[in-house]
Amino acid sequence: MDASPALPPLALYVHVPWCVRKCPYCDFNSHGVGRGAALPEDEYLAALIADLDGDLPLAAGRPLASVFIGGGTPSLMSAGFYAGLLEALADRLPLARNIEITLEANPGTLERGRFAGYRSAGINRLSLGVQSFHDEQLDALGRIHSGADAVAAVDEARRAGFDNLNLDLMHGLPGQTPALALADLEAALALSPEHLSWYQLTLEPNTEFHSHPPPLPEEEVLWDIQDLGHERLEAAGLVRYEISAYARGGRRSRHNLNYWRFGDYLGIGAGAHGKLSRRGADGAMAIERRWKSRQPDAYLRRREDPRGFVAGRSLIDEAELPLEFAMNALRLVDGVPLSTWSHCTGREPSRLEQRLAAARKKGLLVEDAGRLQASPRGLLFLNELLALISVDRGCQG
């Protein structure tokens, strides 16, 4: 094996921590500020640029393949904010010629004309947090927009020139039936999105829904929703390429593919996480995870702190690399070449043969000796598959 593998592709994640109201299911680093609140745009932009400056050595000369601006609710910030941010990026890092720059937006926070400003600033992909088109279910989820707001937001985005649009849609909602879930999909398909993220509501720790669970559909209903939904989306030309991601030709999310293929990413902003690979003098690869100060006020103060914005960092233990890699790669419907396993983990595929054979025997992996690819059953029972193929501490492959 090559002792000096090339560094993986590089992306950038930017976190905007504020939202109008914290949703009861949300476990992200988001902080409700109410409608009409004045946000510290200038201060936050200056902090983001300083944060980026501190991380620049980690880029190692690699061009940025994608940028994803998430939250919180990034659409609370003005177009001028993003114009300044993207100008600063272009001044500091090489950008891929066809770079994908995504902004998350909430249909309930948009002022008319704002999408056109985002497009002019250089953002070329929008991800709209629709979740449902039914107002009763949006109310149950604590969302601040209506189904009509979502439709209007898509129309506004198209008028602004966005031709790469993702809709975030949830299923398994409180009281949801298969008919209601399919009606949501039909409403989404009527808007002709290039990409759809369709995922099941889960009750995450440290959320209101976890403490006070709503009445969710029974497991059999959830299976019906998933089976019928997958069939309808495929028939509509949205091809499933990851457990919860569907896209038309050429519109897969390049940023998320970089995550799932175990690429590198810088993370700037309050609570942002990054994953960076570096090669030592001996050619060995080390992978570090780092995270930034979480609370917005504390993050802003870090600009004056000689320690910088990094709140913590840790190297991924060599014994954990196979599991870390598999947790991402096996989410992809097409999987990855088995050679990628060696490149990213430093392990020869031969050390995995017995585990792969056991997973294939259970029908959790496809019968292809050259690929690490979950079967349709393996995608449904991913945790079981990961437990079977993960290499134990001590590296007994």
Side-chain angles (χ1 to χ4, degrees), residues 28 168 171 195-200 202 204 226 230 239-246 252 256-262 322-336 341 364-365 371-376 378-383 385-386 389:
F28 297 148
D168 264 1
H171 61 85
H195 191 283
L196 189 71
S197 297
W198 189 59
Y199 52 94
Q200 183 178 322
T202 55
E204 301 292 348
Q226 289 186 46
H230 294 326
V239 178
R240 188 186 190 198
Y241 69 98
E242 187 267 346
I243 284 179
S244 58
Y246 299 76
R252 297 181 178 191
N256 287 337
L257 280 171
N258 187 60
Y259 288 152
W260 297 321
R261 290 169 176 165
F262 217 49
L323 177 59
E324 288 263 358
F325 175 80
M327 285 173 64
N328 290 280
L330 285 172
R331 293 182 63 89
L332 291 170
V333 172
D334 293 337
V336 294
W341 173 278
L364 300 175
L365 283 178
R371 294 194 70 77
L372 188 64
Q373 181 181 355
S375 66
L379 289 171
L380 289 175
F381 299 101
L382 188 58
N383 287 339
L385 173 56
L386 290 170
I389 71 170

Side-chain angles (χ1 to χ4, degrees), residues 199-223:
Y199 52 94
Q200 183 178 322
L201 171 66
T202 55
L203 305 185
E204 301 292 348
N206 302 315
T207 65
E208 184 181 332
F209 271 5
H210 191 267
S211 302
H212 303 93
L216 298 182
E218 299 291 334
E219 188 168 336
E220 288 185 5
V221 174
L222 293 174
W223 286 119

